[in-house]
């Protein structure tokens, strides 16, 4: 263990005293690009972009790519020539790798500090004592780079909302060496005055259009607004934002592990889907993936929602979007049951001949298998289903994904999404281990 | 049609039949109450095509006739005139005038009674005579276990079944099963087995709550309909079509562990445990030792609960543990009146039988909860399937 690691672990023993505590936001820099760079160090210093599923849009950019003017969410075809000209490295999204790297970052953080709240795939909040927070921030930054290889920025402030702003500053200005503390009154005010209100955590685009009608255009103006008035116009959530901007913590660190309440699997396809049979293969494949996730998380679901839609630019007469719900009966994670339910829902909303671009399956109202009352009348079926799913998962784990699958998912799978530049699943698949 | 009566008399009849009036329906005529006067007897009916209720009140009849009036309007008016003497008159265009003490006049529009659905009569069914108090127990001990899952309509009611001279009420939501038996004074002919909707049982339970416990009423059951007749009130309903699950197959045949426990102490402990369990899927863990029951509940980010109760072991040996949804336990034991309960289960995955020590006619079967610390889930058991 490095000296840095030792130092942080020592700090871990210090209990955080409520009232004197301060929040740290650990935000991974250009996370997807950073994950690619861990296994391809040659990408460091070069412009890199990561594309969404089906290689559609730009979803992550290195600082060098940002400097070239490649925007976030831009369709790839619009910047394809620029990428060719400037030798930008293009990567297809590799969510297996990013998910696993995120898990490693969160595990490292929990190893280093006790009060950790994973917030998103590349962000986590920590709560620490005011006196040690900056040392802790620098230590965590260096330790994560050494242990996981991911560069992070650390924002430090009295509230979560201010910590988000601080992290943004730490990320943008290299002179802060990746750690910025927002607790200097004069400086803070200047920062808040410059920050558009729409960039404040918790202010969505709808609110960012309404607030200017009240003369609130910046984070500072929002912080000076009457909380009571803000609550009467909007909600208690926006009132909390006002308090948080004034350094009054309203959001506590939530370090309890929350089960996922819903899961979604959607994809856009470059080749339009016009045949029901193909759509059924896609939908049952998505249901299969989700049911595997459910079993991994020991969760069950009572039904599935299928969504389908054409592209936004299709001829008006062909535009169609629809969704439908199908119950599975008793809560289950059985692939056969979920795929069957998804297909039945799809058949109700699919119109043959319409060129569908996006299809998806949504599972909501997930329940933990732990804490579920056993059914009185379906015990035999449940035991058989569990045995079958365990066997399927076991075979697929050993011999590769989809070695055994439900026949409805098809064999040729010509609809598979485009992923021309995907790197290997270096950390999750033995077959794709990095060779050096 | 013309009659006079005290407002409270008419209101008592309306409050019974309006339970069967549809609030939101595709057939507007069902939003009405049917009133028909014959001599001094005013017949009132409500009908939502699932449940129909008819009752009669005695008035001073002046001119026979029948009319349909909006249930909500009529009920609202009469509820405000309960202490007054009403004179109700209908003209030949079905417009009704309600006068109270010559000071208040309401003119409301009615409809022809011919448009109202016919009130069905059960002709070839089984007729039973039961006491109100017996019926109240049959309903009370089972109705809470009815399922409201619309995808399982056959569980949306109580199974009313005869076997020899035994009448059984059975309800289940797929996680617990409640059975109450009652011995009949005569053998029903023919035997029957029907699922009576929750709403019907619930409404009939309310109607008989006004009657004396030893009042006799008539229960008529046919293949497609069921009716209850008490005094001047008839409650008629369709039965739910569908196959009720074979509940006998889940009745525990043997139990490795059996304990006797005070119902009141158990109820109070479960109510205390539910304060914490509420935040964690209502899970409580029961740990049975020889003469002590430990009840545990914990919720992440909230706290823990532990309580010990004195129990008596009837059979089995060693410690036994099982986890339940505390709501499912409370639903049953708070309805009971007996002092001691017998709790039987084989292992932490098997159905648990709860029954009063002094009442062999009631059984409550409740399924345990899967908890990783208490038991192996079926999926883990299935890991033995080799790959």
């Amino acid at each position: 263990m490095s000296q840095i690691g030792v130092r942080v672990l020592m700090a871990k023993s210090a209990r955080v005293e409520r009232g004197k505590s301060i929040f740290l936001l650990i935000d991974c820099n250009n996370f997807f690009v950073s994950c690619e760079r861990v296994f391809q160090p040659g990408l460091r210093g070069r412009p890199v972009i990561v594309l969404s599923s089906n290689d559609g849009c730009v979803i992550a950019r290195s600082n060098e790519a940002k400097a070239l003017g490649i925007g976030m969410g831009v369709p790839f075809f619009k910047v394809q020539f620029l990428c060719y000209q400037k030798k930008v490295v293009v990567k297809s999204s590799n969510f297996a790798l990013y998910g696993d790297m995120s898990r490693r970052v969160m595990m490292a953080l929990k190893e280093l500090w006790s009060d950790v709240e994973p917030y998103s795939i590349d962000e986590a909040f920590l709560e620490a004592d005011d006196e040690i927070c900056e040392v802790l921030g620098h230590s965590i930054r260096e330790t994560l780079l050494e242990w996981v290889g991911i560069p992070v920025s650390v924002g430090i402030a009295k509230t979560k909302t201010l910590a988000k702003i601080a992290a943004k500053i730490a990320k943008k200005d290299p002179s802060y060496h990746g750690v910025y503390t927002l607790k200097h009154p004069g400086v803070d005010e200047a920062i808040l005055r410059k920050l558009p209100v729409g960039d404040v955590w918790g202010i969505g685009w709808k609110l960012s259009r309404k607030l200017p009608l009240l003369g609130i255009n910046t984070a500072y103006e929002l912080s000076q607004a009457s909380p009571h008035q803000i609550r009467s116009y909007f909600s208690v959530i926006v009132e909390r934002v006002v308090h948080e901007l004034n350094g009054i913590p309203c959001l506590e660190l939530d370090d309890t592990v929350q089960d996922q309440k819903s899961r979604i699997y959607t994809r856009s396809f470059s080749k339009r889907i016009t045949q029901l049979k193909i759509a059924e293969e896609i939908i049952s494949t998505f249901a299969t993936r989700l049911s595997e996730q459910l079993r991994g998380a020991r969760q069950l679901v009572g039904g599935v929602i299928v969504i389908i839609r054409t592209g936004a630019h299709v001829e008006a007469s062909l535009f169609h979007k629809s969704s439908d719900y199908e119950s599975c009966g008793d809560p289950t994670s059985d692939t056969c049951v979920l795929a069957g339910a998804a297909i039945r829902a799809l058949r109700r909303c699919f119109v043959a001949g319409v060129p569908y671009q996006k299809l998806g399956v949504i599972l909501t109202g997930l329940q933990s298998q732990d804490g579920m009352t056993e059914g009185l009348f379906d015990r035999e079926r449940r035991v058989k289903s569990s045995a079958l799913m365990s066997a399927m998962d076991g075979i697929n784990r050993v011999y590769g994904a989809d070695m055994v699958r439900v026949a409805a998912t098809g064999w040729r799978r010509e609809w598979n999404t485009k992923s021309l530049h995907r790197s290997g699943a270096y950390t999750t698949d033995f077959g794709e281990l990095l060779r050096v | 049609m013309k009659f006079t009566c005290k407002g409270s008399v008419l209101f008592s009849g309306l409050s019974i039949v309006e339970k069967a009036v549809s609030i939101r329906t595709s057939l507007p005529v069902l939003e009405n109450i049917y009133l028909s006067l014959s001599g001094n007897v005013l017949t009132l009916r409500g009908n939502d095509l699932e449940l129909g209720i008819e009752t009669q009140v005695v008035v001073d009849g002046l001119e026979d006739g029948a009319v349909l009036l909006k249930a909500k309007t009529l009920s609202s008016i009469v509820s405000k005139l309960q202490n007054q003497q009403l004179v109700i008159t209908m003209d030949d265009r079905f417009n009704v005038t309600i006068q109270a003490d010559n000071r208040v006049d309401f003119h409301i529009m009615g409809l022809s009674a011919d448009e109202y659905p016919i009130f069905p009569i059960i002709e070839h069914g089984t007729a039973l005579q039961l006491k109100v108090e017996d019926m109240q127990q049959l309903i009370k001990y089972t109705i809470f276990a009815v399922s409201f899952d619309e995808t399982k309509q056959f569980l949306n009611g109580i199974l009313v079944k005869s076997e020899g001279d035994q009448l059984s009420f059975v309800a289940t939501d797929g996680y617990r099963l409640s059975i109450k038996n009652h011995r009949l004074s005569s053998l029903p002919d023919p035997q029957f087995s029907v699922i009576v909707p929750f709403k019907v049982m619930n409404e009939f339970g309310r109607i008989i709550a006004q009657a004396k416990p030893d009042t006799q009423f008539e229960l008529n059951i046919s293949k497609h309909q069921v009716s209850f007749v008490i005094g001047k009130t008839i409650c008629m309903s369709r039965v739910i079509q569908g196959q009720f699950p074979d509940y006998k197959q889940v009745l525990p045949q043997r139990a490795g562990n059996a304990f006797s426990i005070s119902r009141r102490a158990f109820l109070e402990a479960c109510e205390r445990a539910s304060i914490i369990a509420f935040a964690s899927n209502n899970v409580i863990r029961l740990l049975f030792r020889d003469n002590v029951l430990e009840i545990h509940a914990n919720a992440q980010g909230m706290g823990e609960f532990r309580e010990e109760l004195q129990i008596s072991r009837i059979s089995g040996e060693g410690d036994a543990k099982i986890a339940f949804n505390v709501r499912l336990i409370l639903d049953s034991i708070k309805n009971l009146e007996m002092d001691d309960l017998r709790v039987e289960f084989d292992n932490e995955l098997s159905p648990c039988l709860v029954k009063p020590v002094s009442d062999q006619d009631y059984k409550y079967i409740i399924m345990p909860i899967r908890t990783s610390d208490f038991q192996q889930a079926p999926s883990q058991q299935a890991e033995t399937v080799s790959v």
Side-chain angles (χ1 to χ4, degrees):
Chain A
M1 188 183 291
S2 72
Q3 285 303 306
I4 302 157
V6 171
R7 195 167 69 212
V8 175
L9 278 174
M10 283 169 66
K12 182 180 176 180
S13 63
R15 295 297 305 163
V16 181
E17 220 179 295
R18 300 278 165 183
K20 287 186 179 177
S21 65
I22 204 147
F23 289 97
L24 291 86
L25 175 69
I26 314 298
D27 189 356
C28 301
N29 298 345
N30 312 322
F31 182 58
F32 295 170
V33 171
S34 298
C35 292
E36 298 287 350
R37 282 175 166 170
V38 170
F39 295 93
Q40 294 181 55
L43 298 181
R44 287 179 194 158
R46 293 179 60 186
V48 182
I49 59 169
V50 176
L51 304 178
S52 61
S53 66
N54 208 31
D55 292 351
C57 300
V58 177
I59 56 167
R61 305 153 298 157
S62 67
N63 289 343
E64 297 80 5
K66 287 176 191 171
L68 292 174
I70 299 174
M72 186 68 165
V74 175
F76 178 52
F77 74 87
K78 285 191 176 177
V79 292
Q80 198 163 8
F81 186 64
L82 178 69
C83 291
Y84 171 72
Q85 275 184 322
K86 302 290 181 185
K87 295 185 176 164
V88 176
V89 179
V90 178
K91 290 284 177 187
S92 301
S93 50
N94 184 351
F95 290 109
L97 176 69
Y98 310 149
D100 190 60
M101 293 302 286
S102 171
R103 188 184 59 83
R104 290 173 185 218
V105 168
M106 299 308 164
M107 274 177 63
L109 282 174
K110 284 176 183 168
E111 188 70 24
L112 296 168
W113 197 249
S114 52
D115 300 323
V116 179
E117 176 194 340
Y119 175 66
S120 70
I121 191 166
D122 63 347
E123 291 170 295
F125 283 106
L126 272 65
E127 196 171 8
D129 199 283
D130 193 3
E131 289 166 9
I132 61 158
C133 59
E134 285 204 29
V135 176
L136 180 65
H138 283 288
S139 300
I140 284 176
R141 192 168 177 273
E142 290 164 32
T143 310
L144 285 179
L145 195 59
E146 185 183 321
W147 286 6
V148 194
I150 299 289
V152 299
S153 299
V154 182
I156 302 170
K158 273 188 171 178
T159 67
K160 283 182 166 180
T161 306
L162 290 173
K164 288 279 282 189
I165 295 170
K168 206 171 274 186
I169 297 164
K171 198 180 275 189
K172 279 188 179 163
D173 192 338
S175 67
Y176 296 120
H177 303 291
V179 180
Y180 184 76
T181 307
L182 197 62
K183 59 175 182 181
H184 314 290
V187 183
D188 292 359
E189 187 182 317
I191 289 167
L192 295 184
R193 278 185 189 280
K194 279 185 203 162
L195 189 72
V197 72
D199 287 356
V200 175
W201 188 48
I203 304 296
W205 72 272
K206 275 188 184 172
L207 274 174
S208 67
R209 289 168 64 154
K210 286 180 186 168
L211 285 166
L213 302 176
L214 298 174
I216 298 171
N217 295 292
T218 65
Y220 178 76
E221 285 165 351
L222 182 59
S223 73
Q224 297 305 302
S226 154
H228 179 74
Q229 192 184 14
I230 288 290
R231 182 172 183 164
S232 67
Y233 284 143
F234 303 105
S235 66
V236 69
I237 295 167
V238 190
E239 184 193 4
R240 281 187 196 140
V241 174
V242 175
H243 286 308
E244 288 247 320
L245 285 173
N246 285 296
I248 302 164
C250 297
L251 304 168
E252 291 184 343
L253 192 86
D254 183 6
D255 52 2
T256 54
V257 181
Q258 301 285 348
D259 282 340
Q260 251 179 288
K261 298 276 182 271
S262 63
R263 290 175 189 272
I264 182 164
Y265 202 109
T266 63
R267 289 290 178 272
S268 293
F269 298 90
S270 51
K271 195 176 168 187
R272 303 297 184 248
I273 310 298
T274 54
Q275 295 175 41
L276 178 61
K277 187 178 177 308
I278 304 292
E280 286 181 1
E281 287 184 9
I282 294 166
I283 288 296
S284 51
T285 302
F286 292 178
T288 300
R289 293 285 95 81
L290 289 172
S291 61
E292 287 165 354
Q293 290 176 17
L294 284 181
R295 291 195 292 276
R298 292 182 57 75
Q299 287 186 310
L300 305 171
V301 70
V304 298
I305 298 168
V306 166
I307 54 168
I308 54 172
R309 62 168 297 156
T310 55
H313 306 294
V314 78
E315 236 180 83
S317 62
L318 290 174
F319 180 82
H320 184 236
K321 65 175 182 178
S322 183
S323 64
D324 211 329
Y325 173 83
E326 175 74 17
S327 167
C328 301
D330 293 318
T332 183
S333 60
D334 187 310
T335 300
C336 307
V337 177
L338 288 174
I343 287 173
R344 286 194 297 280
L346 173 72
R347 284 178 183 165
R348 287 198 296 272
C349 49
F350 191 89
V351 179
V354 171
Y356 291 104
Q357 182 186 13
K358 189 172 187 178
L359 290 89
V361 175
I362 301 171
L363 308 181
T364 57
L366 306 185
Q367 305 168 39
S368 171
Q369 211 169 320
D370 287 328
M372 278 272 306
T373 303
E374 296 272 328
L376 261 170
F377 303 104
D378 62 346
R379 184 166 167 72
E380 197 179 334
R381 182 196 58 74
R382 221 172 39 241
V383 170
K384 277 184 185 170
S385 159
S386 292
L388 179 62
M389 290 304 112
S390 295
M392 265 179 74
D393 290 343
I395 292 168
N396 289 335
R397 206 163 36 239
V398 174
Y399 297 104
D402 286 343
M403 182 57 68
V404 179
R405 58 183 192 243
V406 292
T409 58
W411 299 104
R412 295 171 66 185
R413 296 183 166 190
E414 287 166 347
W415 46 266
N416 254 336
T417 51
K418 197 163 76 181
S419 190
L420 299 176
H421 314 282
R422 193 177 71 85
S423 47
Y426 305 118
T427 59
T428 52
D429 189 340
F430 279 115
E432 296 187 24
L433 277 177
L434 184 67
R435 292 170 192 273
V436 287
Chain B
M1 183 175 77
K2 186 172 182 182
F3 64 90
T4 66
C5 68
K6 186 92 175 161
S8 57
V9 171
L10 183 55
F11 186 71
S12 66
L14 289 173
S15 59
I16 291 173
V17 298
E18 70 179 351
K19 303 291 183 195
V21 174
S22 298
I23 299 167
R24 279 180 289 274
T25 173
S26 53
L27 287 173
V29 71
L30 299 180
E31 293 172 9
N32 294 280
I33 284 178
Y34 169 97
L35 293 96
S36 169
L37 181 67
S38 177
N40 285 336
V41 177
L42 179 69
T43 302
L44 302 133
R45 285 180 197 158
N47 192 344
D48 65 4
L49 298 184
E50 183 194 346
L51 169 66
I53 301 177
E54 177 186 293
T55 194
Q56 291 178 340
V57 291
V58 177
V59 297
D60 294 330
L62 302 170
E63 187 184 337
D64 288 358
V67 69
L68 300 183
L69 293 174
K70 283 272 185 209
K72 198 176 168 188
T73 313
L74 181 62
S75 182
S76 301
I77 292 170
V78 178
S79 71
K80 302 288 183 218
L81 300 170
Q82 288 193 62
N83 297 323
Q84 336 241 345
Q85 187 67 24
L86 306 181
V87 180
I88 297 175
T89 317
M90 180 189 75
D91 66 16
D92 53 1
R93 298 175 70 184
F94 306 107
N95 295 320
V96 172
T97 305
I98 302 173
Q99 289 178 309
D101 294 346
N102 291 322
R103 292 184 299 109
V104 183
D105 273 6
F106 277 102
H107 299 281
I108 54 175
M109 285 178 285
L111 292 170
S112 163
D114 297 342
E115 294 179 34
Y116 206 67
I118 295 166
F119 202 75
I121 297 163
I122 295 179
E123 287 176 345
H124 305 290
T126 308
L128 304 173
Q129 290 289 328
L130 285 172
K131 271 191 198 166
V132 162
E133 61 184 342
D134 295 334
M135 186 65 176
Q136 280 176 326
Q137 284 214 331
L138 286 161
I139 295 175
K140 184 171 123 182
Y141 284 7
T142 51
I143 199 161
F144 62 86
V146 169
S147 167
F148 294 98
D149 183 347
E150 288 176 4
T151 64
K152 296 175 184 166
Q153 288 206 350
F154 52 91
L155 299 183
N156 295 167
I158 298 176
L159 176 73
V160 178
K161 182 180 178 179
S162 66
E163 268 180 325
D165 63 350
Q166 185 161 273
L167 173 67
S168 300
F169 275 39
V170 187
T172 178
D173 61 5
Y175 303 104
R176 37 73 183 279
L177 177 82
S178 199
I179 306 171
K180 177 71 178 163
N181 297 320
H182 174 74
R183 196 158 296 280
L184 297 167
S185 51
S186 60
L187 207 60
D189 182 33
Q191 297 281 321
F192 54 85
S193 174
V194 293
I195 306 168
V196 181
F198 170 87
K199 184 181 173 185
V200 178
M201 281 298 189
N202 199 33
E203 288 308 329
F204 187 66
R206 285 186 199 181
I207 291 168
I208 59 174
Q210 314 296 325
K212 288 180 183 168
D214 58 350
T215 308
Q216 290 274 337
F217 74 95
E218 191 175 290
L219 171 61
N220 294 296
I221 297 168
S222 72
K223 202 174 171 186
H224 301 291
Q225 285 168 327
V226 60
S227 76
F228 305 90
V229 184
I230 179 163
K232 299 287 184 190
T233 301
I234 304 170
C235 193
M236 164 77 70
S237 166
R238 285 191 201 171
V239 299
I240 295 173
Q241 299 301 318
Q243 186 66 46
F244 199 81
D246 180 8
Y247 66 91
K248 288 189 176 172
Q249 65 161 3
V250 299
L251 298 179
Q253 299 304 313
R254 67 181 197 89
N257 302 288
F259 303 90
S260 167
I261 184 169
S262 155
R263 185 190 68 89
R264 168 110 350 239
F266 191 38
L267 172 65
E268 287 171 358
C270 285
E271 281 174 339
R272 283 188 282 270
S274 69
I275 297 167
I276 297 290
F278 163 74
S280 64
N281 286 339
N282 291 314
V283 179
I284 60 165
R285 291 164 170 81
L286 308 184
L287 186 56
F288 292 87
R289 303 189 191 284
D290 274 342
N291 290 310
V292 174
L293 166 62
E294 278 179 30
I295 302 176
H296 295 262
N298 64 65
Q300 198 177 18
M302 187 176 182
E304 290 182 0
F305 167 85
R306 180 180 170 279
E307 180 165 345
E308 284 188 5
L309 293 179
Q310 288 300 309
I311 55 170
S312 315
R313 183 185 280 276
I314 299 168
S315 67
E317 55 186 26
D319 293 352
K321 55 189 182 177
I322 195 161
F324 291 116
N325 180 330
V326 68
R327 292 273 140 226
L328 302 191
I329 293 184
L330 286 172
D331 280 349
S332 167
I333 59 175
K334 73 182 174 194
N335 272 320
L336 302 174
E337 290 117 26
M338 305 78 179
D339 272 349
D340 290 314
L341 296 176
R342 186 182 165 109
V343 177
E344 296 179 9
F345 60 96
D346 204 32
N347 59 53
E348 59 269 31
L349 279 173
S350 62
C352 174
L353 174 66
V354 179
K355 58 183 183 182
V357 171
S358 57
D359 181 0
Q360 296 306 306
D361 289 327
Y362 179 65
K363 286 178 185 164
Y364 184 61
I365 291 106
I366 174 170
M367 287 301 286
I369 276 180
R370 302 176 201 175
T371 58
S372 45
D373 56 335
F374 254 41
Q375 61 200 207
Q376 270 197 320
S379 61
Q380 289 169 317
Q381 292 172 331
E383 291 290 349
T384 49
V385 176
S386 57
V387 175

